[in-house]
Short mmCIF file of all heavy atoms in Angstrom, two decimals:
data_model
loop_
_atom_site.label_atom_id
_atom_site.label_comp_id
_atom_site.label_asym_id
_atom_site.label_seq_id
_atom_site.Cartn_x
_atom_site.Cartn_y
_atom_site.Cartn_z
N GLY A 50 13.84 -5.35 21.56
CA GLY A 50 14.61 -4.79 20.50
C GLY A 50 13.81 -4.34 19.36
O GLY A 50 14.08 -3.41 18.60
N VAL A 51 12.55 -4.96 19.23
CA VAL A 51 11.67 -4.53 18.17
C VAL A 51 10.99 -3.22 18.53
O VAL A 51 10.45 -3.14 19.75
CB VAL A 51 10.62 -5.62 17.82
CG1 VAL A 51 9.53 -5.11 16.78
CG2 VAL A 51 11.21 -6.93 17.41
N LYS A 52 11.06 -2.23 17.72
CA LYS A 52 10.52 -0.91 18.11
C LYS A 52 9.08 -0.61 17.58
O LYS A 52 8.40 0.24 18.15
CB LYS A 52 11.46 0.16 17.75
CG LYS A 52 12.79 0.08 18.39
CD LYS A 52 13.74 1.12 17.96
CE LYS A 52 15.03 0.99 18.65
NZ LYS A 52 16.05 1.96 18.22
N ASP A 53 8.75 -1.24 16.46
CA ASP A 53 7.53 -0.87 15.78
C ASP A 53 6.99 -2.13 15.08
O ASP A 53 7.74 -2.89 14.51
CB ASP A 53 7.89 0.09 14.64
CG ASP A 53 6.74 0.51 13.65
OD1 ASP A 53 5.87 1.18 14.04
OD2 ASP A 53 6.73 -0.12 12.65
N ILE A 54 5.61 -2.32 15.20
CA ILE A 54 5.04 -3.38 14.53
C ILE A 54 4.43 -2.83 13.26
O ILE A 54 3.66 -1.85 13.24
CB ILE A 54 3.91 -4.01 15.35
CG1 ILE A 54 4.49 -4.59 16.60
CG2 ILE A 54 3.06 -5.00 14.56
CD1 ILE A 54 3.41 -5.13 17.66
N GLY A 55 4.82 -3.37 12.07
CA GLY A 55 4.52 -2.85 10.75
C GLY A 55 3.06 -2.92 10.41
O GLY A 55 2.30 -3.78 10.87
N GLN A 56 2.64 -2.05 9.45
CA GLN A 56 1.31 -2.04 8.85
C GLN A 56 0.92 -3.41 8.27
O GLN A 56 1.79 -4.03 7.62
CB GLN A 56 1.28 -0.99 7.80
CG GLN A 56 -0.10 -0.89 7.05
CD GLN A 56 -0.03 0.26 6.04
OE1 GLN A 56 0.51 1.34 6.40
NE2 GLN A 56 -0.48 0.05 4.91
N ASN A 57 -0.17 -3.93 8.62
CA ASN A 57 -0.73 -5.24 8.08
C ASN A 57 0.13 -6.43 8.47
O ASN A 57 0.08 -7.46 7.86
CB ASN A 57 -0.89 -5.24 6.63
CG ASN A 57 -2.00 -4.25 6.10
OD1 ASN A 57 -3.13 -4.42 6.64
ND2 ASN A 57 -1.73 -3.42 5.26
N ALA A 58 1.04 -6.27 9.47
CA ALA A 58 2.03 -7.35 9.86
C ALA A 58 1.38 -8.65 10.16
O ALA A 58 1.95 -9.73 9.78
CB ALA A 58 2.87 -6.89 10.97
N PHE A 59 0.26 -8.61 10.77
CA PHE A 59 -0.50 -9.92 11.09
C PHE A 59 -1.95 -9.90 10.61
O PHE A 59 -2.71 -10.76 10.95
CB PHE A 59 -0.49 -10.02 12.62
CG PHE A 59 0.91 -9.98 13.19
CD1 PHE A 59 1.33 -8.85 13.89
CD2 PHE A 59 1.82 -10.98 12.97
CE1 PHE A 59 2.61 -8.68 14.33
CE2 PHE A 59 3.11 -10.89 13.45
CZ PHE A 59 3.56 -9.70 14.11
N ASN A 60 -2.25 -9.06 9.68
CA ASN A 60 -3.49 -9.04 8.97
C ASN A 60 -3.90 -10.34 8.38
O ASN A 60 -3.11 -10.85 7.56
CB ASN A 60 -3.53 -7.88 7.99
CG ASN A 60 -4.92 -7.76 7.23
OD1 ASN A 60 -5.92 -8.33 7.68
ND2 ASN A 60 -4.93 -6.91 6.23
N GLY A 61 -4.99 -10.92 8.84
CA GLY A 61 -5.40 -12.21 8.27
C GLY A 61 -4.89 -13.47 8.98
O GLY A 61 -5.14 -14.56 8.49
N CYS A 62 -4.10 -13.25 10.03
CA CYS A 62 -3.61 -14.38 10.82
C CYS A 62 -4.84 -14.91 11.69
O CYS A 62 -4.85 -14.68 12.83
CB CYS A 62 -2.40 -14.00 11.67
SG CYS A 62 -1.02 -13.62 10.70
N ILE A 63 -5.84 -15.57 11.02
CA ILE A 63 -7.03 -15.90 11.74
C ILE A 63 -6.89 -16.90 12.91
O ILE A 63 -7.79 -17.02 13.73
CB ILE A 63 -8.07 -16.46 10.67
CG1 ILE A 63 -7.52 -17.72 9.98
CG2 ILE A 63 -8.45 -15.40 9.65
CD1 ILE A 63 -8.66 -18.39 9.07
N GLY A 64 -5.79 -17.68 13.00
CA GLY A 64 -5.69 -18.65 14.00
C GLY A 64 -5.06 -18.16 15.30
O GLY A 64 -4.96 -18.80 16.34
N VAL A 65 -4.51 -16.87 15.21
CA VAL A 65 -3.74 -16.28 16.41
C VAL A 65 -4.69 -16.07 17.54
O VAL A 65 -5.72 -15.45 17.44
CB VAL A 65 -3.11 -14.99 16.03
CG1 VAL A 65 -2.51 -14.30 17.19
CG2 VAL A 65 -2.02 -15.16 14.95
N LYS A 66 -4.32 -16.67 18.69
CA LYS A 66 -5.16 -16.59 19.93
C LYS A 66 -4.47 -15.61 20.88
O LYS A 66 -5.24 -14.97 21.65
CB LYS A 66 -5.37 -17.87 20.57
CG LYS A 66 -6.05 -18.90 19.72
CD LYS A 66 -6.22 -20.27 20.34
CE LYS A 66 -6.84 -21.23 19.38
NZ LYS A 66 -6.95 -22.56 19.90
N SER A 67 -3.12 -15.48 20.96
CA SER A 67 -2.51 -14.63 21.95
C SER A 67 -1.31 -13.88 21.27
O SER A 67 -0.62 -14.49 20.38
CB SER A 67 -2.16 -15.40 23.12
OG SER A 67 -1.23 -16.36 22.86
N VAL A 68 -0.99 -12.70 21.79
CA VAL A 68 0.15 -11.92 21.42
C VAL A 68 0.82 -11.33 22.56
O VAL A 68 0.18 -10.76 23.50
CB VAL A 68 -0.33 -10.74 20.51
CG1 VAL A 68 0.91 -9.90 20.02
CG2 VAL A 68 -1.07 -11.34 19.24
N GLU A 69 2.15 -11.43 22.67
CA GLU A 69 2.95 -10.78 23.67
C GLU A 69 3.82 -9.81 22.98
O GLU A 69 4.55 -10.19 22.07
CB GLU A 69 3.84 -11.91 24.36
CG GLU A 69 3.08 -12.88 25.15
CD GLU A 69 4.01 -13.98 25.77
OE1 GLU A 69 5.05 -13.59 26.30
OE2 GLU A 69 3.65 -15.19 25.65
N ILE A 70 3.82 -8.54 23.45
CA ILE A 70 4.62 -7.55 22.88
C ILE A 70 5.58 -6.93 23.92
O ILE A 70 5.18 -6.64 25.03
CB ILE A 70 3.68 -6.37 22.42
CG1 ILE A 70 2.71 -6.91 21.34
CG2 ILE A 70 4.50 -5.24 21.77
CD1 ILE A 70 1.66 -5.93 20.95
N SER A 71 6.88 -6.93 23.55
CA SER A 71 7.91 -6.47 24.52
C SER A 71 7.75 -4.96 24.78
O SER A 71 7.14 -4.22 24.05
CB SER A 71 9.29 -6.76 23.99
OG SER A 71 9.60 -5.84 22.92
N ASN A 72 8.50 -4.59 25.94
CA ASN A 72 8.26 -3.20 26.29
C ASN A 72 9.30 -2.22 25.49
O ASN A 72 9.42 -1.12 25.82
CB ASN A 72 8.55 -3.00 27.77
CG ASN A 72 9.94 -3.53 28.20
OD1 ASN A 72 10.74 -3.77 27.33
ND2 ASN A 72 10.15 -3.53 29.49
N THR A 73 9.90 -2.74 24.34
CA THR A 73 10.63 -1.83 23.59
C THR A 73 9.77 -1.37 22.36
O THR A 73 10.22 -0.48 21.62
CB THR A 73 11.88 -2.54 23.00
OG1 THR A 73 11.46 -3.75 22.25
CG2 THR A 73 12.80 -3.00 24.12
N VAL A 74 8.60 -1.93 22.17
CA VAL A 74 7.65 -1.56 21.04
C VAL A 74 7.01 -0.19 21.49
O VAL A 74 6.39 -0.07 22.55
CB VAL A 74 6.65 -2.63 20.76
CG1 VAL A 74 5.69 -2.13 19.68
CG2 VAL A 74 7.32 -3.85 20.28
N TYR A 75 7.01 0.78 20.63
CA TYR A 75 6.46 2.07 20.81
C TYR A 75 5.24 2.36 19.87
O TYR A 75 4.47 3.34 20.10
CB TYR A 75 7.43 3.24 20.86
CG TYR A 75 8.06 3.45 19.44
CD1 TYR A 75 7.41 4.21 18.53
CD2 TYR A 75 9.20 2.81 19.02
CE1 TYR A 75 7.87 4.38 17.25
CE2 TYR A 75 9.77 2.96 17.78
CZ TYR A 75 9.16 3.82 16.94
OH TYR A 75 9.68 4.01 15.63
N SER A 76 5.09 1.63 18.77
CA SER A 76 4.12 1.91 17.76
C SER A 76 3.58 0.62 17.14
O SER A 76 4.30 -0.34 16.88
CB SER A 76 4.76 2.84 16.75
OG SER A 76 3.87 3.04 15.65
N ILE A 77 2.29 0.68 16.85
CA ILE A 77 1.62 -0.49 16.19
C ILE A 77 1.01 0.06 14.88
O ILE A 77 0.19 1.04 14.95
CB ILE A 77 0.58 -1.17 17.00
CG1 ILE A 77 1.15 -1.74 18.20
CG2 ILE A 77 -0.16 -2.22 16.19
CD1 ILE A 77 0.22 -2.37 19.24
#
């Protein structure tokens, strides 16, 4: 359902090890 990941959405999330993005996303 999410179509776009916003600018700076996870900027500085230094502990993030993994990301799963659904197939409805068309833009980062």
Side-chain angles (χ1 to χ4, degrees):
V51 177
K52 296 179 180 178
D53 171 81
I54 297 173
Q56 178 177 315
N57 291 309
F59 307 105
N60 181 9
C62 292
I63 59 173
V65 172
K66 295 178 182 176
S67 63
V68 178
E69 294 176 45
I70 301 172
S71 74
N72 62 8
T73 58
V74 174
Y75 66 87
S76 176
I77 299 176

